[in-house]
């Protein structure tokens, strides 16, 4: 069991529907009003039923005042990293530091090719993410006066000028599931952003082990890497599963999570304390659900996690974040498939 000790954050994962463009903006405003910290949108540039996610993020950033905005996750094959770096830095400057960057290697290759992108083999997709991160960080690094030469066969810049620098250190979160991508996250990224519904029992701990092992091999503290999760389900007045009540004690965290506020708080607290997840992003376009998540679930989770951390470290001399409670590191070797 691992608790990386990060401050908890809560957000929304919204559909950028184009049928009524005001809906997505209103849901973002509802998210902020509910006390959420983060507003995110899925990114499928080949989907004509959706608004362009980057354009929507800029509009939402202007319509809100406090929340961080982020793509969940931006499609790298259709968004050149050097241009994306300047766009993110610009938005971060315009909002006073409210931008985060979520990126993915791409998945729907036929649709990507139809939009002018190119299909990548799994190994090239992993290399593309690594090259993109190097380019993005290089564009942001205005302390180096030399032109930027970075990347490789998938993404590359050859003498690009640097800047602008963002208003704050924009985190780069990667959406991925395969062991090679997880290892890459441990080596160079700031966070891992999966959807809980795509993970099976034990997958979180196994993935954390891969990320942590790769981080240590790269000379990093695993606690540098934030663990995020898209969560789904329904906040109800009773706990339901298969038409009947669900026992309070579960072998594994439910996905989707279905139950009242207390049950959601129990499940998310376990994810924080046992699997190190510190950012919970609700995939729901219902304003009532967003309000319950931000105004009721989030405070309970913060309270429970704070109490558990205080109980585990009553003297205030908590061991370095990223350590297992047993004191032994989570070592793992990355596999060879994506």
């Amino acid at each position: 069991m691992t608790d990386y000790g990060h401050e908890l954050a809560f957000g929304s994962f919204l559909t950028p529907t184009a049928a009524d463009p005001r809906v997505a903006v209103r849901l973002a405003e509802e998210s902020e009003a509910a006390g959420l910290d983060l507003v995110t949108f899925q990114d499928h540039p080949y989907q004509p039923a959706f608004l362009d996610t980057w354009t929507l993020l800029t509009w939402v950033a202007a319509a809100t005042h406090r929340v961080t905005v982020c793509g969940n996750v931006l499609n790298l094959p259709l968004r050149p990293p050097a241009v994306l770096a300047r766009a993110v830095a610009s938005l971060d400057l315009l909002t006073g530091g409210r931008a985060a960057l979520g990126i993915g290697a791409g998945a729907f290759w036929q649709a990507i090719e139809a939009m002018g992108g190119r299909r990548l083999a799994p190994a090239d997709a992993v290399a593309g993410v690594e090259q993109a991160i190097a380019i993005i960080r290089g564009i942001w690094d205005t302390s180096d006066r030399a032109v930027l030469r970075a990347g490789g066969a998938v993404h590359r810049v050859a003498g690009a000028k640097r800047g602008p620098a963002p208003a704050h250190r924009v985190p780069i979160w990667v959406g991925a599931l395969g062991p090679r991508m997880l290892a890459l996250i441990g080596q160079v990224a700031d966070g891992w952003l999966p959807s809980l519904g795509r993970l099976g029992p034990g997958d979180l701990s196994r993935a954390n082990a891969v990320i942590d092992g790769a981080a240590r091999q790269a000379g990093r503290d695993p606690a540098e890497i934030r663990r995020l999760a898209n969560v789904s389900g329904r906040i109800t007045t009773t706990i339901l599963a298969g038409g009947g009540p669900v026992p309070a004690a579960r072998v594994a965290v439910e996905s989707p999570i279905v139950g009242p506020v207390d049950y959601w708080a129990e499940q998310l607290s376990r994810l924080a304390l046992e699997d190190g997840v510190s950012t919970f992003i609700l995939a729901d376009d219902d304003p009532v659900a967003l309000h319950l998540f931000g105004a009721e679930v989030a405070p309970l989770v913060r309270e429970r996690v704070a109490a558990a951390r205080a109980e585990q470290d009553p003297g205030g001399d908590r061991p370095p974040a990223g350590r297992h409670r047993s004191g032994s590191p989570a070592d793992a070797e990355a596999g060879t498939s994506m």
Side-chain angles (χ1 to χ4, degrees):
M1 294 191 296
T2 304
D3 174 9
Y4 297 95
H6 293 158
E7 182 179 354
L8 301 186
F10 296 82
S12 58
F13 184 16
L14 307 174
T15 306
T17 181
D20 184 349
R22 296 169 297 180
V23 170
V25 179
R26 282 200 299 263
L27 288 172
E29 293 171 331
E30 291 279 357
S31 299
E32 183 170 71
L36 294 176
D37 310 293
L38 179 67
V39 171
T40 75
F41 295 93
Q42 56 187 292
D43 182 39
H44 298 285
Y46 36 76
Q47 173 53 266
F50 289 169
L51 297 166
D52 172 69
T53 295
W54 185 258
T55 306
L56 177 59
L57 287 172
T58 63
W59 190 277
V60 164
T64 55
H65 306 281
R66 180 185 52 78
V67 290
T68 293
V69 297
C70 182
N72 190 348
V73 288
L74 296 177
N75 188 296
L76 275 178
L78 292 175
R79 298 191 182 277
V83 177
L84 182 59
R86 297 199 203 283
V88 173
S90 299
L91 186 59
D92 200 54
L93 288 165
L94 289 166
T95 60
R98 290 197 289 126
L101 177 58
I103 55 175
F108 300 98
W109 294 108
Q110 185 175 351
I112 289 169
E113 285 182 306
M115 286 286 289
R118 65 185 176 110
R119 184 183 297 266
L120 297 174
D124 290 333
V126 176
V129 173
E130 182 175 17
Q131 293 160 17
I133 291 174
I135 291 168
I136 291 166
R137 290 215 175 108
I139 293 289
W140 291 345
D141 182 12
T142 55
S143 66
D144 190 338
R145 300 178 66 86
V147 294
L148 178 63
R149 302 181 187 278
V154 181
H155 299 295
R156 164 175 183 270
V157 293
K161 294 184 178 180
R162 301 172 189 260
H168 83 302
R169 190 183 189 282
V170 174
I172 300 177
W173 301 328
V174 178
L177 295 175
R180 282 188 289 181
M181 287 292 291
L182 293 171
L184 178 63
I185 289 167
Q187 292 160 7
V188 299
D190 299 307
W192 176 42
L193 176 50
S195 291
L196 192 61
R198 298 186 64 188
L199 301 175
D203 282 352
L204 269 175
S205 60
R206 285 188 287 270
N208 277 335
V210 174
I211 293 170
D212 292 357
R216 291 190 183 94
Q217 290 178 7
R220 304 180 72 194
D221 181 347
E224 294 177 31
I225 303 151
R226 179 173 283 267
R227 319 301 157 110
L228 308 92
N230 296 319
V231 298
S232 61
R234 187 159 49 94
I235 304 174
T236 67
T237 55
T238 57
I239 302 177
L240 302 174
V246 175
R250 305 299 301 187
V251 173
V253 171
E254 294 292 308
S255 181
I257 302 171
V258 179
V261 166
D262 282 349
Y263 185 67
W264 274 76
E266 173 201 330
Q267 297 289 290
L268 299 189
S269 297
R270 288 179 56 195
L271 283 169
L273 296 167
E274 298 177 9
D275 291 297
V277 178
S278 55
T279 299
F280 302 96
I281 305 171
L282 180 65
D284 203 315
D285 293 330
D286 179 2
V288 174
L290 295 174
H291 176 78
L292 289 171
F293 191 65
E296 298 192 27
V297 174
L300 270 180
V301 177
R302 287 190 170 102
E303 179 182 325
R304 292 186 181 200
V305 171
R309 286 173 173 174
E311 183 178 345
Q312 293 157 15
D313 186 27
D317 53 353
R318 181 182 176 84
R323 285 286 182 185
H324 280 228
R325 291 177 194 155
S326 64
S328 60
D331 294 323
E333 293 183 2
T336 56
S337 66
M338 182 178 171

